[in-house]
Amino acid sequence: MEKIECTSCKQEISPVETYVKFECPECEEILYRCQKCRTFGHLYQCKCGFKGP
């Protein structure tokens, strides 16, 4: 099973945890965000340099 890492906090996301998976609007890289980072609006940065809330 592939390990999923939150793009914002870099913590591993367990399979039972709530998270969101989406494509970067700039390069279509798959990004993951844990519930905590989404709730608190922590910033994330894609490998291409795109930043989002």
Side-chain angles (χ1 to χ4, degrees):
M1 179 181 233
E2 179 185 347
K3 290 185 179 181
I4 300 172
E5 183 180 275
C6 176
T7 304
S8 298
C9 68
K10 307 300 185 214
Q11 296 294 317
E12 185 177 343
I13 300 172
S14 73
V16 295
E17 188 177 349
T18 303
Y19 66 92
V20 66
K21 173 184 171 181
F22 59 99
E23 290 183 355
C24 172
E26 295 282 324
C27 72
E28 300 179 0
E29 173 82 21
I30 299 297
L31 305 174
Y32 299 92
R33 294 190 73 211
C34 68
Q35 184 64 40
K36 182 178 176 183
C37 288
R38 291 184 65 223
T39 300
F40 293 111
H42 295 160
L43 297 178
Y44 64 89
Q45 183 172 353
C46 182
K47 294 175 185 175
C48 73
F50 178 82
K51 295 180 184 178

